[in-house]
Amino acid sequence: MAGGESETNASLNNNGVEAATEELPGEEEEKGSGLRFPLARIKRIMKADPELGLASQDAVFLVAKATELFVESLALEAYHYTSQSKKKTVSRRDVDHCIDAIEALAFLDGAMD
Amino acid sequence: MQDHCSLFIFSADHFKQKSEKFKAMSVSSDQPDDELTIPRAAMNKMIKELLPNVRVANEARELILNCCTEFIHLLSSEANEICNQQQKKTINAEHILMSLDKLGFGDYRADAEAVLKDCKAMAAKKRRKSTRLENLGIPEEELLRQQQELFAKVSFRMIISNRWYVE
């Protein structure tokens, strides 16, 4: 987790502001299994929920991987609607369509502004 | 401040209303982490690799980004509940996997479990690696013996030097 933490701190120091885009070298060890999202960030998002107790590193790993799979699923699914409507650009409406159509995504309904 | 507190308590009472709870979290400006998302660039890269020749509107990206955050909260909450039901103190991998099944993301299980195996293999490798660096491949018993030898040497030297000093 040390590598992930330094990514977060370094971003704050360099820009004075959370640099949401940069990933620094030294995270390679954590991402050895091909993870794209920094564990430290995932953990911070999880911890933003005050009800949440402790989570093992394995658990955070799994949340990270599941989130990647989620992005892929959602993007792919949205693209289906894009191509159906013969458009070339995936629009917000395509993503909304997914949220309406897929039961597992019902939790997103009304959670978005 | 009072309003924020009461809103938070309201949401805590209605734990099952998860979206309300997270609205409360984002309303309170005391929490610096309420704007937290996964890194945009990482997400964009993933989408680019998945859909190489497809344009994705910024609004769509923004929405997917925020959906990810909600997903993380949903998954964590569910795992937290399972963890509490089992009266365990720490959310573990199995809690997450069960949550995926429960929430309708059972498809993710296979890939997620594969990552777990890699994670464990990496952790084991790291442990072996650091052991190697620290001990130069010397087994613990040998190290202990060497340590004791060193201590013995030091004591002997101190005795000798003391004697000289005294004289």
Side-chain angles (χ1 to χ4, degrees):
Chain A
M1 298 297 276
E5 287 298 334
S6 66
E7 179 265 333
T8 312
N9 291 337
S11 305
L12 285 169
N13 288 338
N14 289 339
N15 307 324
V17 140
E18 177 87 7
T21 53
E22 292 297 295
E23 287 171 11
L24 301 178
E27 289 197 322
E28 297 312 312
E29 290 180 41
E30 287 178 9
K31 301 223 200 104
S33 55
L35 274 190
R36 306 292 183 82
F37 298 150
L39 286 183
R41 183 73 65 88
I42 301 281
K43 195 167 189 185
R44 275 176 71 192
I45 296 172
M46 288 169 70
K47 291 299 189 190
D49 177 359
E51 304 264 353
L52 212 81
L54 293 170
S56 72
Q57 183 166 35
D58 281 356
V60 179
F61 232 82
L62 283 182
V63 172
K65 185 63 186 176
T67 308
E68 289 182 20
L69 295 168
F70 178 77
V71 167
E72 289 180 342
S73 308
L74 191 52
L76 253 182
E77 204 60 43
Y79 180 61
H80 281 314
Y81 292 110
T82 311
S83 51
Q84 257 180 32
S85 54
K86 309 251 172 79
K87 300 255 173 77
K88 296 247 178 84
T89 307
V90 177
S91 68
R92 192 206 149 98
R93 208 188 50 209
D94 295 323
V95 183
D96 282 330
H97 207 153
C98 298
I99 295 173
D100 288 335
I102 299 170
E103 200 176 321
L105 300 184
F107 73 97
L108 294 168
D109 218 1
M112 305 282 109
D113 290 327
Chain B
M1 176 63 90
Q2 194 55 41
D3 285 345
H4 285 167
C5 284
S6 51
L7 188 63
F8 181 77
I9 291 166
F10 175 78
S11 301
D13 285 342
H14 293 68
F15 178 74
K16 297 224 187 318
Q17 299 287 342
K18 293 192 171 69
S19 59
E20 278 197 12
K21 177 175 74 157
F22 294 113
K23 275 181 197 153
M25 278 161 56
S26 55
V27 162
S28 163
S29 55
D30 296 333
Q31 297 194 39
D33 288 343
D34 64 349
E35 297 294 330
L36 223 48
T37 63
I38 56 175
R40 229 171 263 266
M43 187 197 74
N44 286 341
K45 193 172 176 197
M46 278 185 74
I47 295 178
K48 183 77 182 173
E49 286 176 13
L50 190 69
L51 304 166
N53 299 315
V54 176
R55 286 209 202 107
V56 180
N58 281 333
E59 266 197 335
R61 291 180 195 275
E62 182 73 23
L63 181 52
I64 295 175
L65 195 70
N66 291 328
C67 287
C68 280
T69 307
E70 289 299 316
F71 176 76
I72 291 170
H73 286 310
L74 180 78
L75 191 56
S76 308
S77 285
E78 191 62 41
N80 198 39
E81 278 186 37
I82 294 175
C83 178
N84 289 337
Q85 277 166 22
Q86 289 187 1
Q87 301 194 315
K88 297 246 171 85
K89 287 196 182 142
T90 308
I91 298 171
N92 64 30
E94 192 53 42
H95 299 147
I96 302 289
L97 291 172
M98 285 169 70
S99 302
L100 285 175
D101 286 334
K102 211 168 168 192
L103 295 165
F105 296 100
D107 289 348
Y108 297 174
R109 218 187 211 255
D111 285 335
E113 281 183 293
V115 160
L116 200 57
K117 269 174 91 173
D118 284 346
C119 172
K120 287 196 201 292
M122 254 199 333
K125 204 172 162 189
K126 250 177 160 178
R127 278 199 301 274
R128 282 200 302 274
K129 192 177 167 189
S130 65
T131 305
R132 225 179 286 140
L133 283 173
E134 285 160 8
N135 303 334
L136 301 172
I138 302 170
E140 196 173 336
E141 290 131 2
E142 174 63 14
L143 282 172
L144 266 171
R145 194 191 63 78
Q146 288 183 5
Q147 193 181 63
Q148 276 164 359
E149 264 191 5
L150 268 168
F151 284 161
K153 274 190 196 151
V154 167
S155 316
F156 189 60
R157 230 179 269 133
M158 278 174 65
I159 293 168
I160 291 179
S161 60
N162 281 346
R163 209 181 295 148
W164 280 50
Y165 174 78
V166 164
E167 286 182 32

mmCIF file of all heavy atoms in Angstrom, chain B residues 68-92:
data_model
loop_
_atom_site.group_PDB
_atom_site.id
_atom_site.type_symbol
_atom_site.label_atom_id
_atom_site.label_comp_id
_atom_site.label_asym_id
_atom_site.label_seq_id
_atom_site.Cartn_x
_atom_site.Cartn_y
_atom_site.Cartn_z
ATOM 1 N N CYS B 68 -18.692 4.755 -11.055
ATOM 2 C CA CYS B 68 -17.649 3.923 -10.424
ATOM 3 C C CYS B 68 -17.587 4.157 -8.935
ATOM 4 O O CYS B 68 -17.477 3.210 -8.149
ATOM 5 C CB CYS B 68 -16.278 4.233 -11.017
ATOM 6 S SG CYS B 68 -16.023 3.437 -12.581
ATOM 7 N N THR B 69 -17.611 5.426 -8.559
ATOM 8 C CA THR B 69 -17.569 5.759 -7.142
ATOM 9 C C THR B 69 -18.765 5.151 -6.417
ATOM 10 O O THR B 69 -18.619 4.559 -5.340
ATOM 11 C CB THR B 69 -17.549 7.288 -6.943
ATOM 12 O OG1 THR B 69 -16.501 7.847 -7.712
ATOM 13 C CG2 THR B 69 -17.365 7.655 -5.487
ATOM 14 N N GLU B 70 -19.932 5.272 -7.028
ATOM 15 C CA GLU B 70 -21.135 4.685 -6.429
ATOM 16 C C GLU B 70 -21.006 3.173 -6.318
ATOM 17 O O GLU B 70 -21.422 2.563 -5.328
ATOM 18 C CB GLU B 70 -22.372 5.017 -7.283
ATOM 19 C CG GLU B 70 -22.805 6.468 -7.236
ATOM 20 C CD GLU B 70 -23.181 6.920 -5.838
ATOM 21 O OE1 GLU B 70 -23.880 6.177 -5.137
ATOM 22 O OE2 GLU B 70 -22.741 8.022 -5.445
ATOM 23 N N PHE B 71 -20.417 2.594 -7.356
ATOM 24 C CA PHE B 71 -20.235 1.148 -7.369
ATOM 25 C C PHE B 71 -19.340 0.705 -6.211
ATOM 26 O O PHE B 71 -19.625 -0.278 -5.525
ATOM 27 C CB PHE B 71 -19.627 0.712 -8.714
ATOM 28 C CG PHE B 71 -19.323 -0.756 -8.786
ATOM 29 C CD1 PHE B 71 -20.341 -1.685 -8.967
ATOM 30 C CD2 PHE B 71 -18.021 -1.213 -8.672
ATOM 31 C CE1 PHE B 71 -20.066 -3.047 -9.036
ATOM 32 C CE2 PHE B 71 -17.735 -2.567 -8.748
ATOM 33 C CZ PHE B 71 -18.760 -3.481 -8.919
ATOM 34 N N ILE B 72 -18.245 1.440 -6.021
ATOM 35 C CA ILE B 72 -17.325 1.117 -4.924
ATOM 36 C C ILE B 72 -18.058 1.173 -3.583
ATOM 37 O O ILE B 72 -17.907 0.282 -2.741
ATOM 38 C CB ILE B 72 -16.116 2.071 -4.925
ATOM 39 C CG1 ILE B 72 -15.229 1.800 -6.148
ATOM 40 C CG2 ILE B 72 -15.294 1.915 -3.644
ATOM 41 C CD1 ILE B 72 -14.150 2.835 -6.375
ATOM 42 N N HIS B 73 -18.868 2.217 -3.422
ATOM 43 C CA HIS B 73 -19.613 2.352 -2.162
ATOM 44 C C HIS B 73 -20.612 1.221 -1.987
ATOM 45 O O HIS B 73 -20.751 0.657 -0.895
ATOM 46 C CB HIS B 73 -20.350 3.691 -2.120
ATOM 47 C CG HIS B 73 -19.429 4.850 -1.883
ATOM 48 N ND1 HIS B 73 -18.505 4.880 -0.874
ATOM 49 C CD2 HIS B 73 -19.295 6.023 -2.550
ATOM 50 C CE1 HIS B 73 -17.834 6.022 -0.922
ATOM 51 N NE2 HIS B 73 -18.292 6.734 -1.924
ATOM 52 N N LEU B 74 -21.306 0.886 -3.073
ATOM 53 C CA LEU B 74 -22.302 -0.180 -3.018
ATOM 54 C C LEU B 74 -21.656 -1.497 -2.614
ATOM 55 O O LEU B 74 -22.113 -2.202 -1.716
ATOM 56 C CB LEU B 74 -22.976 -0.328 -4.394
ATOM 57 C CG LEU B 74 -24.038 -1.428 -4.465
ATOM 58 C CD1 LEU B 74 -25.325 -0.952 -3.825
ATOM 59 C CD2 LEU B 74 -24.296 -1.848 -5.907
ATOM 60 N N LEU B 75 -20.574 -1.817 -3.308
ATOM 61 C CA LEU B 75 -19.864 -3.071 -3.070
ATOM 62 C C LEU B 75 -19.323 -3.131 -1.641
ATOM 63 O O LEU B 75 -19.473 -4.134 -0.941
ATOM 64 C CB LEU B 75 -18.730 -3.203 -4.090
ATOM 65 C CG LEU B 75 -18.010 -4.530 -4.205
ATOM 66 C CD1 LEU B 75 -18.985 -5.651 -4.481
ATOM 67 C CD2 LEU B 75 -16.980 -4.452 -5.323
ATOM 68 N N SER B 76 -18.711 -2.032 -1.219
ATOM 69 C CA SER B 76 -18.139 -1.982 0.131
ATOM 70 C C SER B 76 -19.208 -2.099 1.204
ATOM 71 O O SER B 76 -19.030 -2.817 2.198
ATOM 72 C CB SER B 76 -17.381 -0.674 0.347
ATOM 73 O OG SER B 76 -16.455 -0.463 -0.679
ATOM 74 N N SER B 77 -20.310 -1.382 1.004
ATOM 75 C CA SER B 77 -21.407 -1.429 1.981
ATOM 76 C C SER B 77 -21.939 -2.837 2.148
ATOM 77 O O SER B 77 -22.153 -3.312 3.262
ATOM 78 C CB SER B 77 -22.574 -0.547 1.530
ATOM 79 O OG SER B 77 -22.276 0.791 1.726
ATOM 80 N N GLU B 78 -22.174 -3.466 1.018
ATOM 81 C CA GLU B 78 -22.718 -4.822 1.036
ATOM 82 C C GLU B 78 -21.750 -5.761 1.755
ATOM 83 O O GLU B 78 -22.148 -6.557 2.608
ATOM 84 C CB GLU B 78 -22.951 -5.292 -0.406
ATOM 85 C CG GLU B 78 -23.752 -6.564 -0.530
ATOM 86 C CD GLU B 78 -25.147 -6.438 0.025
ATOM 87 O OE1 GLU B 78 -25.782 -5.380 -0.200
ATOM 88 O OE2 GLU B 78 -25.606 -7.379 0.694
ATOM 89 N N ALA B 79 -20.473 -5.638 1.425
ATOM 90 C CA ALA B 79 -19.454 -6.470 2.051
ATOM 91 C C ALA B 79 -19.376 -6.182 3.548
ATOM 92 O O ALA B 79 -19.177 -7.089 4.359
ATOM 93 C CB ALA B 79 -18.100 -6.222 1.389
ATOM 94 N N ASN B 80 -19.545 -4.912 3.908
ATOM 95 C CA ASN B 80 -19.527 -4.511 5.305
ATOM 96 C C ASN B 80 -20.657 -5.179 6.085
ATOM 97 O O ASN B 80 -20.458 -5.664 7.203
ATOM 98 C CB ASN B 80 -19.644 -2.984 5.402
ATOM 99 C CG ASN B 80 -19.206 -2.453 6.749
ATOM 100 O OD1 ASN B 80 -18.245 -2.938 7.329
ATOM 101 N ND2 ASN B 80 -19.923 -1.466 7.258
ATOM 102 N N GLU B 81 -21.827 -5.219 5.464
ATOM 103 C CA GLU B 81 -22.987 -5.862 6.101
ATOM 104 C C GLU B 81 -22.725 -7.344 6.315
ATOM 105 O O GLU B 81 -22.985 -7.885 7.392
ATOM 106 C CB GLU B 81 -24.237 -5.684 5.233
ATOM 107 C CG GLU B 81 -24.910 -4.342 5.427
ATOM 108 C CD GLU B 81 -26.233 -4.241 4.675
ATOM 109 O OE1 GLU B 81 -26.953 -5.248 4.623
ATOM 110 O OE2 GLU B 81 -26.506 -3.147 4.149
ATOM 111 N N ILE B 82 -22.221 -7.990 5.269
ATOM 112 C CA ILE B 82 -21.923 -9.424 5.359
ATOM 113 C C ILE B 82 -20.892 -9.662 6.462
ATOM 114 O O ILE B 82 -21.003 -10.589 7.265
ATOM 115 C CB ILE B 82 -21.410 -9.973 4.008
ATOM 116 C CG1 ILE B 82 -22.519 -9.896 2.958
ATOM 117 C CG2 ILE B 82 -20.912 -11.406 4.160
ATOM 118 C CD1 ILE B 82 -22.086 -10.289 1.553
ATOM 119 N N CYS B 83 -19.888 -8.798 6.486
ATOM 120 C CA CYS B 83 -18.820 -8.897 7.483
ATOM 121 C C CYS B 83 -19.397 -8.791 8.896
ATOM 122 O O CYS B 83 -19.062 -9.594 9.771
ATOM 123 C CB CYS B 83 -17.802 -7.790 7.226
ATOM 124 S SG CYS B 83 -16.453 -7.729 8.394
ATOM 125 N N ASN B 84 -20.277 -7.803 9.097
ATOM 126 C CA ASN B 84 -20.899 -7.615 10.408
ATOM 127 C C ASN B 84 -21.766 -8.803 10.795
ATOM 128 O O ASN B 84 -21.761 -9.247 11.945
ATOM 129 C CB ASN B 84 -21.743 -6.340 10.421
ATOM 130 C CG ASN B 84 -20.885 -5.088 10.396
ATOM 131 O OD1 ASN B 84 -19.727 -5.125 10.780
ATOM 132 N ND2 ASN B 84 -21.444 -3.979 9.943
ATOM 133 N N GLN B 85 -22.504 -9.318 9.800
ATOM 134 C CA GLN B 85 -23.358 -10.484 10.065
ATOM 135 C C GLN B 85 -22.528 -11.674 10.523
ATOM 136 O O GLN B 85 -22.953 -12.461 11.357
ATOM 137 C CB GLN B 85 -24.126 -10.877 8.797
ATOM 138 C CG GLN B 85 -25.393 -10.064 8.565
ATOM 139 C CD GLN B 85 -25.928 -10.235 7.149
ATOM 140 O OE1 GLN B 85 -25.614 -11.227 6.488
ATOM 141 N NE2 GLN B 85 -26.723 -9.278 6.698
ATOM 142 N N GLN B 86 -21.342 -11.786 9.949
ATOM 143 C CA GLN B 86 -20.452 -12.882 10.344
ATOM 144 C C GLN B 86 -19.697 -12.557 11.623
ATOM 145 O O GLN B 86 -18.880 -13.352 12.098
ATOM 146 C CB GLN B 86 -19.431 -13.160 9.227
ATOM 147 C CG GLN B 86 -20.026 -13.794 7.996
ATOM 148 C CD GLN B 86 -18.949 -14.194 6.999
ATOM 149 O OE1 GLN B 86 -17.754 -14.008 7.252
ATOM 150 N NE2 GLN B 86 -19.350 -14.741 5.871
ATOM 151 N N GLN B 87 -19.948 -11.344 12.133
ATOM 152 C CA GLN B 87 -19.294 -10.870 13.357
ATOM 153 C C GLN B 87 -17.772 -10.888 13.241
ATOM 154 O O GLN B 87 -17.074 -11.199 14.209
ATOM 155 C CB GLN B 87 -19.764 -11.690 14.564
ATOM 156 C CG GLN B 87 -21.278 -11.598 14.729
ATOM 157 C CD GLN B 87 -21.757 -12.097 16.059
ATOM 158 O OE1 GLN B 87 -21.322 -13.146 16.502
ATOM 159 N NE2 GLN B 87 -22.653 -11.337 16.677
ATOM 160 N N LYS B 88 -17.325 -10.550 12.042
ATOM 161 C CA LYS B 88 -15.881 -10.412 11.852
ATOM 162 C C LYS B 88 -15.533 -8.929 11.927
ATOM 163 O O LYS B 88 -16.388 -8.070 11.718
ATOM 164 C CB LYS B 88 -15.491 -10.952 10.468
ATOM 165 C CG LYS B 88 -15.762 -12.435 10.279
ATOM 166 C CD LYS B 88 -14.485 -13.214 10.106
ATOM 167 C CE LYS B 88 -14.745 -14.691 10.145
ATOM 168 N NZ LYS B 88 -15.137 -15.203 8.808
ATOM 169 N N LYS B 89 -14.255 -8.652 12.146
ATOM 170 C CA LYS B 89 -13.842 -7.259 12.307
ATOM 171 C C LYS B 89 -13.323 -6.651 11.009
ATOM 172 O O LYS B 89 -13.343 -5.442 10.837
ATOM 173 C CB LYS B 89 -12.745 -7.176 13.367
ATOM 174 C CG LYS B 89 -13.279 -7.385 14.751
ATOM 175 C CD LYS B 89 -12.306 -6.942 15.827
ATOM 176 C CE LYS B 89 -12.907 -7.244 17.200
ATOM 177 N NZ LYS B 89 -11.891 -7.695 18.152
ATOM 178 N N THR B 90 -12.850 -7.516 10.126
ATOM 179 C CA THR B 90 -12.230 -7.008 8.902
ATOM 180 C C THR B 90 -12.923 -7.581 7.685
ATOM 181 O O THR B 90 -13.144 -8.786 7.597
ATOM 182 C CB THR B 90 -10.731 -7.393 8.863
ATOM 183 O OG1 THR B 90 -10.130 -6.973 10.081
ATOM 184 C CG2 THR B 90 -10.026 -6.725 7.705
ATOM 185 N N ILE B 91 -13.237 -6.684 6.762
ATOM 186 C CA ILE B 91 -13.821 -7.133 5.498
ATOM 187 C C ILE B 91 -12.753 -7.880 4.726
ATOM 188 O O ILE B 91 -11.672 -7.337 4.469
ATOM 189 C CB ILE B 91 -14.302 -5.926 4.664
ATOM 190 C CG1 ILE B 91 -15.396 -5.167 5.413
ATOM 191 C CG2 ILE B 91 -14.826 -6.392 3.304
ATOM 192 C CD1 ILE B 91 -15.766 -3.842 4.774
ATOM 193 N N ASN B 92 -13.052 -9.129 4.364
ATOM 194 C CA ASN B 92 -12.052 -9.899 3.626
ATOM 195 C C ASN B 92 -12.498 -10.150 2.195
ATOM 196 O O ASN B 92 -13.572 -9.719 1.775
ATOM 197 C CB ASN B 92 -11.745 -11.215 4.359
ATOM 198 C CG ASN B 92 -12.948 -12.134 4.443
ATOM 199 O OD1 ASN B 92 -13.824 -12.135 3.571
ATOM 200 N ND2 ASN B 92 -13.014 -12.935 5.496
#
